[in-house]
Amino acid sequence: MLAAAAALALAVGPAALEYEIVDSVRVDMGYRAGFQVLCLGAGPTGGVVAGGVTGEGVDYMSRAFTVGLGSGWDVQWNGVVEGVNSGWISSVSPSWDGGCVCGGATDYSPGDQGDAWVVALDPGGFSRWQHHREGDSELAEVSWVSGSHMRSLAAGYTHDQAGRPRSWLLRLDDTGRATSRSEVDLDGFKALGACSTFAGETVMVGSRYGAAAVVMVDGEGETAWTDPAIVEGALATVEECEGGVLSGGHAYSDRGDPILCLHSGVGGSRWMRNLAEDGYSGSVFDLAVLPGIGSALVLTDSATLVICDRQGRPLGEVDPGFRPSAVAALEDGTLAVAGSGMGEVRLARLGISR
């Protein structure tokens, strides 16, 4: 583990944005293949779990992998997920005992049915239980998980034989058995991300017939409200914040325009900011809410980590020492960042202030 002593400052606007690399970890994954981190989850004691997908191995199959760091940012485990022959991890939720719940999908071959899955891992990275759901066509994915191996939620989608997406919310017990399944009451909605609120609701974001869309499901599994056509594009990530939930994605254009939206608790969007106006392109792939500052965004086109204020205005860019692909806010106020490369996964913990 390396620690950076010097704090860096970005002089943007009237107030400087300062950041410090508190911890930096390079994890050797054991063999030469491309590793891509797709998600990062913050644990209750300061540890993190990163998940994603490897490049094709000698059998021409990709693998879902996880890396777990403890509260002292020492490596607890790293490796491929047992029981998932070929696929990727879209979402990971660390649990109180050092394990995690992760969700994702299998790779597909022409004519194969999709397989969306949830796997619970123990503190050593070994499988506790697995839950698999086959789709009616080649497209199915668990796009978000939350909770622990004792009780968890999973949101995702399948496509029917006509190609129409159907989104759902699952509740799973401590054996991985689904105790309930709620269908989202919005036809054509494809859930690409979700978050839980303190009030017990689940907010899903995604797309519907080419437009960015948001759905809230209440604690009973009923669809409480929808915002089905925010802008032409899609939303991929969402987190609860002061005043509602903050989502990110893209609007359609020649280059793709990264967007941020703040949604109120009664449906509808309070505001939407198009970061193409600030010179950025691509999509918001992941975001984390930073109390007292605003948010941290990972943009796809340049793998750039951008810090924004509470109105979505960029304050500056942060360099963790590698190309970032996922972020998570830690309870001590620092920001966890993950990235990857050939044969390795990189993680850093940043202190950010204004």
Side-chain angles (χ1 to χ4, degrees), residues 186 188-190 192 205-214 227-235 250-252 259:
L186 183 63
F189 176 67
K190 183 176 182 178
L192 301 176
V205 298
S207 63
R208 179 176 183 263
Y209 302 131
V214 182
D227 193 356
I230 298 169
V231 66
E232 290 187 2
L235 296 172
H250 69 273
Y252 291 134
I259 58 172

Side-chain angles (χ1 to χ4, degrees), residues 23-58:
D23 288 300
S24 183
V25 179
R26 186 192 299 264
V27 182
D28 185 350
M29 298 300 291
Y31 64 98
R32 298 293 292 175
F35 285 79
Q36 184 179 4
V37 173
L38 300 177
C39 54
L40 183 65
T45 60
V48 296
V49 178
V53 62
T54 70
E56 292 183 347
V58 294

Side-chain angles (χ1 to χ4, degrees), residues 149-215:
H149 66 283
M150 300 298 293
R151 185 176 61 182
S152 57
L153 293 172
Y157 64 88
T158 57
H159 281 65
D160 62 23
Q161 293 181 346
R164 294 183 297 266
R166 295 177 292 134
S167 296
W168 34 259
L169 180 68
L170 295 177
R171 287 174 172 81
L172 305 174
D173 65 14
D174 60 356
T175 66
R177 182 178 65 90
T179 58
S180 69
R181 170 174 167 148
S182 303
E183 296 280 345
V184 172
D185 187 17
L186 183 63
D187 67 288
F189 176 67
K190 183 176 182 178
L192 301 176
C195 74
S196 291
T197 70
F198 286 113
E201 304 123 343
T202 301
V203 178
M204 302 183 190
V205 298
S207 63
R208 179 176 183 263
Y209 302 131
V214 182
V215 172

Side-chain angles (χ1 to χ4, degrees), residues 235 246-249 258-263 271-275 284 287 295 297 308-309 311-313:
L235 296 172
L246 185 68
S247 67
I259 58 172
L260 271 180
C261 298
L262 180 68
H263 314 276
W271 52 256
M272 184 190 78
R273 181 167 183 86
N274 190 327
L275 275 72
V284 177
L287 68 84
S295 59
L297 317 176
C308 296
D309 67 13
Q311 285 73 47
R313 296 175 297 222

Side-chain angles (χ1 to χ4, degrees), residues 57-133:
V58 294
D59 55 1
Y60 303 103
M61 297 176 70
S62 59
R63 294 287 189 269
F65 74 87
T66 56
V67 174
L69 301 186
S71 58
W73 273 56
D74 49 330
V75 179
Q76 301 295 300
W77 81 82
N78 68 87
V80 298
V81 176
E82 297 175 313
V84 181
N85 292 327
S86 179
W88 66 90
I89 294 175
S90 302
S91 179
V92 63
S93 179
S95 54
W96 57 270
D97 66 348
C100 69
V101 176
C102 49
T106 56
D107 277 340
Y108 313 114
S109 299
D112 286 350
Q113 289 191 331
D115 188 9
W117 50 262
V118 181
V119 176
L121 304 180
D122 69 14
F126 297 101
S127 178
R128 280 174 160 144
W129 53 253
Q130 301 178 18
H131 177 93
H132 290 255
R133 302 194 70 84

